[in-house]
Amino acid sequence: MEMIIESKTENSVTGLLVDEGSVLESCGIEIFDGLPDGEFEAIVAEVPPISVAKGTTFYSSEDGPSDLYLLRSGRIELYRQSASGKRLTLGIISEGAFFGEMSLLGDVQTGTGAVAYEASVVHVMSRDYVSALMLQHPTVAVRVVDVLARRLQKARESLQEMAFNDVTGRVAGLLLLLDPEDVGFVEGSSHQELADMVGCLRESLSDTLDRFKRSGAVTVGRKRVDIRDRSRLQRIVVQRSGARS
Amino acid sequence: MEMIIESKTENSVTGLLVDEGSVLESCGIEIFDGLPDGEFEAIVAEVPPISVAKGTTFYSSEDGPSDLYLLRSGRIELYRQSASGKRLTLGIISEGAFFGEMSLLGDVQTGTGAVAYEASVVHVMSRDYVSALMLQHPTVAVRVVDVLARRLQKARESLQEMAFNDVTGRVAGLLLLLDPEDVGFVEGSSHQELADMVGCLRESLSDTLDRFKRSGAVTVGRKRVDIRDRSRLQRIVVQRSGARS
DNA sequence: GCGGTTCTGTAGTCTTGCATACAGTTCGCC
DNA sequence: GGCGAACTGTATGCAAGACTACAGAACCGC
């Protein structure tokens, strides 16, 4: 259900992952950070950047990824889709992060899709290239471990939320997560997209938002939700997580 | 919801993880396999094995893990628990695998618990020790990446199943997964435990099993389910995965 | 064998959210 | 400015499953 957001002021409730790799240092790629000067450039020289238009599919449900992708700029949506067309957004990968990690495994797993959420630039690296890289630069391997451990953590949190919270609680958590910095609003996502993140129907989501609106917790606009009473949303999340009675 | 099973004849439907690290080679620890002779012994000498009784808690929901654990023998249950006491089994770690990987991250995340499912023996390694180890032996790091990528994959499959399948479909998938070798039965788990794996009430699970029984797909005994018609269960899984109509 | 404990069967109520079906609205494009 | 597409509001039936509440059955230890 939940996307998996990774951000500094992180909300552990939903486990959504957005803005992954937001803390960038020297080279702008999370797993290559801290390499000796010049190394990064040498590595990247081997795999020239490729620009893709919004909507480009990197791999889809039928064929899993066979490469690892480094996102140089733009945003990528990771998702799963059911036979009947229902979609579940697993996460949004943003600048500096990688995706397609299943390709690191010998046996390519099918099931996940990745599509460009907006125009993006990526480096494409083969499984073998990445393996060699990690063996040669242990710090890179350690960084990858770090990122994967974090994503696993988030995925399990999502699982937990899916298991314990009802739609109301999940939506409340999502809103808090999509506005971690407390900017006061969430913009750019349609109800359908939000629904895909929490794993419910669009109608159920609209309905839930409407209830939030009537209770004064939020205000809704087209592709926009303004958070009026953050603490109320927080209370909803707590109440709905496991204490159904 | 789903446990995460890792086994050779793997069932991609549920994404359950059981029998992780079942393919063991030289040293018996998945991440240390393939090290030069003597290296493994040297590493382990630093962290003597510790025996724990069944039911021992390694870390609980309140305080996340601060160490990495290598399971030498026995089985460990990873779980999450809600405020109201509902439990969700994330996975069963078995011989040769590690757990507590969140400790590899700087910020210790809370939420997951780990408890000995049976009498077990573990090595306990500090975060720093593991980091140093990975830097010194890149092959170890690469192995860890491999395992984490696989677990992430499984966790996302569980998420997907949780989002798209109803309880009936999930239970069918669970049974198939708990009997990957087609032994013909699943033994040793109470209805409560099975329910914790699929993320539903015990009553709902009993009910579902009963329906399976009446349809001739299974036979149920105390802590035992015999699978009579495997293909029927498979059909149920497919039908229920996304095509609710 | 007895008593407690753990496990399983059953039943009934009630809420949630899916499925379906439209109507209205805003937006972008021509 | 108008048309079509994408987005949002609303309503209704309906089934799944949570929650509650017991009762019987199998096991365990003494």
Side-chain angles (χ1 to χ4, degrees), chain A residues 80 84 102 109 153 160 242, chain B residues 80 84 102 109 153 160 242:
Chain A
R80 300 230 167 184
S84 60
M102 297 87 84
Q109 303 261 7
Q153 178 75 4
Q160 176 184 21
Chain B
R80 299 229 166 185
S84 61
M102 296 87 84
Q109 303 262 4
Q153 178 75 2
Q160 176 183 20

Side-chain angles (χ1 to χ4, degrees), chain A residues 1-6 11 14-19 75-78 88-93 117 154-155 157-159 161 174 177-178 189 193-194 196-199, chain B residues 156 159:
Chain A
M1 45 109 242
E2 306 301 298
M3 287 164 66
I4 297 165
I5 297 196
E6 193 151 313
N11 185 320
T14 36
L16 271 176
L17 164 105
V18 151
D19 209 21
R75 295 201 306 164
I76 308 294
E77 179 197 8
L78 303 184
L88 178 70
T89 299
L90 293 175
I92 304 287
I93 296 294
Y117 210 72
K154 298 304 175 64
E157 255 154 45
S158 300
L159 206 47
E161 209 193 26
L174 177 66
L177 203 55
L178 288 178
S189 304
E193 287 170 339
L194 294 175
D196 289 346
M197 295 182 202
V198 292
Chain B
R156 286 177 171 170
L159 206 47

